[in-house]
Amino acid sequence: MKKTVFISTPYITLGQMLKEETIVGSGGQAKWYLREHTVMLNDEPENRRGKKLYDGDNVTIPDVGMFFIRTKQDD
């Protein structure tokens, strides 16, 4: 599954993105999830839930999907 995640702030943390996309239910679960599962940020392994994701970043979670971080454009 490929999905675009639109943000209205300069960045979103990895933990926030995992919660927003209902991969985890809380920040505590995000910490556990990142310890137990492979998460790739721009083709590099990432396990910090506080890692800031900016416009243009790509997060890949095997068996879950690819998430493209994009800034929400004002109309």
Side-chain angles (χ1 to χ4, degrees):
M1 170 183 80
K2 294 181 181 180
K3 183 169 183 192
T4 301
V5 178
F6 290 101
I7 58 174
S8 57
T9 56
Y11 66 86
I12 186 171
T13 66
L14 182 55
Q16 288 171 326
M17 191 221 62
L18 292 173
K19 286 193 308 187
E20 186 174 300
E21 295 303 314
T22 62
I23 297 167
V24 299
S26 70
Q29 287 178 339
K31 188 175 185 179
W32 169 83
Y33 187 89
L34 291 168
R35 204 172 36 232
E36 300 293 324
H37 296 85
T38 300
V39 174
M40 304 296 282
L41 171 62
N42 300 326
D43 298 321
E44 297 288 330
E46 184 57 66
N47 62 3
R48 299 172 289 172
R49 67 181 172 165
K51 176 66 177 169
K52 294 176 182 176
L53 309 177
Y54 295 94
D55 181 48
D57 284 342
N58 298 314
V59 177
T60 303
I61 306 172
D63 300 323
V64 176
M66 296 176 67
F67 301 89
F68 305 102
I69 310 302
R70 301 294 179 259
T71 302
K72 185 181 285 186
Q73 300 296 320
D74 293 329
D75 293 335

